[in-house]
Amino acid sequence: MKIIVISLLLLAFGSCTHFPTTPPVLILGVSLPDARNIFQALESDYFTGLLRPLLQEHMLVVYFESALTPKDLSCVGCFPYLRGVQPRTYYSQVHDPFASVEMLFTERGEEMIWNRRRAMLTLPCQRNSIQLYNFKNSNLTAHDKFMKAVALNLEDCPVIHLYTAHAEQMKALQRRLQRVNDIMKWMKPTATTTTTTEKPKFRGQTSQEHVLRNGSKQSPSIVVLRHPRGIVALDKIVFAEEIPKGLNVYYKRFHIYPSGQSSLSLKLKDNTNIKKGVNFFIDTSLGPLKIKLAPVVGCWRIPKLIFQNTTFIPRDLLFYGKRFSFCCYALTAYSDDGARLTLYSFSMDVVLADNISAMDPDYMPKACWLCEEYLTPALTQAIFTVCILLFLLGLGLTMFLEMGRNMRMPNIREPEPPLKVPVER
């Protein structure tokens, strides 16, 4: 009975709670203050404040694993090099260290660039710089040797190595919930198995698979199209043509798919600067689809889509920052004749740096900017500034209108104020 109650509580907790991401962090080459509480994760802002002053005289090299736990770091024989480095600082839990590193890049006005393996082994010594590398597999011993090779190359450089992961606690709790699901399935063998699907992510590749509860595998329909200057990922495209019949309106829908993995092309508004405008072209089974990106106050805006010589305009103002990639579960645009064009599980990333290619398998797209978020940083600052100005204007008008008005009630016990009357001569 206890097992049933605990299992139900864990299932309910897992279905309605967003698990935090608190992987461990190992910092080599510097001694930092110990954590205030070993049972509480360090906040991202506090961790950023620890790293910020170190960049003035040091070079920061950050290594990210896909998943890392304190138990992995305590593995005997996995990290012979990391165990011998002194000084070092270890934090068992840091809340989203990726956000801390991203905040440093945002403050410096730089774009996060993930180095390739060969470039990491030949890094030049550059103080006040941040270098990033993402491990693709879970071979911890090989990763330790790789970090040793990078450190030997920078032996005479004031460098700090930071070793962490994108996630930890979320993965651990998900594994725990999976074990609970197995227990519940064993206790209820007659339960009907249902298919579980997960919302596609932009960073997924076409070789990913959805695993069903019954153990079978199903290939996803997400298609990732690459170009040296950008990436587009989508599930499907639905074109709905409006057909009016009397007082009723019907829609004839067509499912459109890209013609191939190399069906993405890109055209710049100005060949000398990609930030002045970009047009994506996707070759589909019913003709090319054009997605226009226009620069607006440091951000990208999607003003329109063109398909079969028809212009489709989104009803919402779709903005997103140039330091992000655009992600939308369903992007719908409308034409003047009532037709609709919807892109499902649509994601898009534009590579701004000339020395980076999106065809590189080590390239990682920028963080997602969801299409439900319409406020850009510039728009938020403008609204905040206007609110302050309106408040000051209202305060000033109030003070101006109250000038010369007596706000105190007269008291009958007080004598009359003396008045000087001019004497006529």
Side-chain angles (χ1 to χ4, degrees), residues 378-397:
L379 188 58
T380 305
Q381 294 175 8
I383 294 175
F384 183 73
T385 304
V386 170
C387 291
I388 292 179
L389 293 177
L390 290 177
F391 173 77
L392 295 177
L393 179 61
L395 182 63
L397 289 176

Side-chain angles (χ1 to χ4, degrees), residues 1 5 31 43 58 68 75 118 136 155 173 175 320 332 363 374 383 421:
M1 185 65 183
V5 174
S31 295
E43 295 295 332
H58 295 82
L68 192 68
C75 171
R118 182 177 300 178
K136 299 296 184 180
E155 188 173 4
L173 291 178
R175 291 193 296 266
Y320 73 99
T332 303
Y363 173 76
Y374 303 118
I383 294 175
V421 179

Side-chain angles (χ1 to χ4, degrees), residues 140-151:
L140 302 181
T141 304
H143 300 172
D144 180 78
K145 295 180 180 179
F146 178 77
M147 288 185 284
K148 180 180 179 181
V150 175

Side-chain angles (χ1 to χ4, degrees), residues 112-338:
M112 298 184 67
I113 299 176
W114 298 87
N115 290 324
R116 302 181 64 179
R117 182 180 181 88
R118 182 177 300 178
M120 287 292 295
L121 296 175
T122 58
L123 284 177
C125 181
Q126 296 178 352
R127 297 190 181 187
N128 195 20
S129 66
I130 307 176
Q131 305 295 331
L132 302 177
Y133 185 77
N134 185 60
F135 290 111
K136 299 296 184 180
N137 53 39
S138 58
N139 191 345
L140 302 181
T141 304
H143 300 172
D144 180 78
K145 295 180 180 179
F146 178 77
M147 288 185 284
K148 180 180 179 181
V150 175
L152 291 177
N153 178 57
L154 300 172
E155 188 173 4
D156 299 330
C157 182
V159 61
I160 297 174
H161 299 268
L162 194 151
Y163 182 53
T164 183
H166 297 284
E168 184 272 329
Q169 187 172 352
M170 182 184 296
K171 298 292 184 181
L173 291 178
Q174 285 177 351
R175 291 193 296 266
R176 187 182 304 172
L177 289 176
Q178 183 62 39
R179 291 196 296 267
V180 174
N181 290 335
D182 296 338
I183 294 175
M184 296 297 296
K185 182 180 177 181
W186 174 75
M187 296 177 64
K188 295 181 179 180
T190 59
T192 304
T193 59
T194 58
T195 302
T196 60
T197 59
E198 182 180 356
K199 182 180 177 180
K201 298 181 179 179
F202 183 34
R203 297 185 179 181
Q205 301 297 329
T206 55
S207 61
Q208 289 181 338
E209 295 176 337
H210 292 286
V211 181
L212 309 183
R213 286 188 179 182
N214 58 8
S216 62
K217 297 182 178 180
Q218 178 183 6
S219 298
S221 57
I222 294 294
V223 178
V224 180
L225 307 175
R226 292 179 177 268
H227 184 273
R229 304 306 301 269
I231 300 178
V232 170
L234 49 87
D235 181 6
K236 61 183 177 181
I237 306 173
V238 177
F239 171 61
E241 182 181 0
E242 182 178 323
I243 303 177
K245 290 186 178 180
L247 298 177
N248 299 325
V249 177
Y250 300 92
Y251 289 92
K252 185 177 181 181
R253 291 175 173 85
F254 301 90
H255 289 263
I256 307 169
Y257 299 94
S259 58
Q261 292 294 326
S262 60
S263 59
L264 177 66
S265 58
L266 186 145
K267 183 178 181 181
L268 305 181
K269 184 177 180 181
D270 187 352
N271 294 328
T272 60
N273 191 353
I274 191 175
K275 296 182 179 180
K276 293 185 178 181
V278 182
N279 292 326
F280 282 97
F281 293 89
I282 302 176
D283 294 333
T284 67
S285 55
L286 295 182
L289 169 62
K290 178 181 177 181
I291 304 174
K292 183 177 181 180
L293 285 180
V296 178
V297 195
C299 300
W300 289 119
R301 182 196 170 197
I302 306 179
K304 60 182 178 180
L305 288 73
I306 299 177
F307 180 68
Q308 291 186 349
N309 296 326
T310 304
T311 301
F312 296 83
I313 299 177
R315 291 181 178 176
D316 299 320
L317 297 178
L318 300 178
F319 291 90
Y320 73 99
K322 292 184 179 180
R323 298 177 183 173
F324 299 87
S325 60
F326 181 76
C327 302
C328 193
Y329 181 74
L331 189 155
T332 303
Y334 304 84
S335 65
D336 295 336
D337 56 359

Side-chain angles (χ1 to χ4, degrees), residues 335-382:
S335 65
D336 295 336
D337 56 359
R340 302 178 181 180
L341 188 67
T342 304
L343 284 67
Y344 289 94
S345 299
F346 176 70
S347 304
M348 177 172 54
D349 185 23
V350 181
V351 179
L352 300 179
D354 296 333
N355 58 343
I356 302 176
S357 174
M359 304 296 293
D360 188 351
D362 292 332
Y363 173 76
M364 294 188 62
K366 296 181 282 293
C368 274
W369 180 298
L370 299 178
C371 60
E372 290 83 2
E373 300 177 4
Y374 303 118
L375 290 180
T376 64
L379 188 58
T380 305
Q381 294 175 8

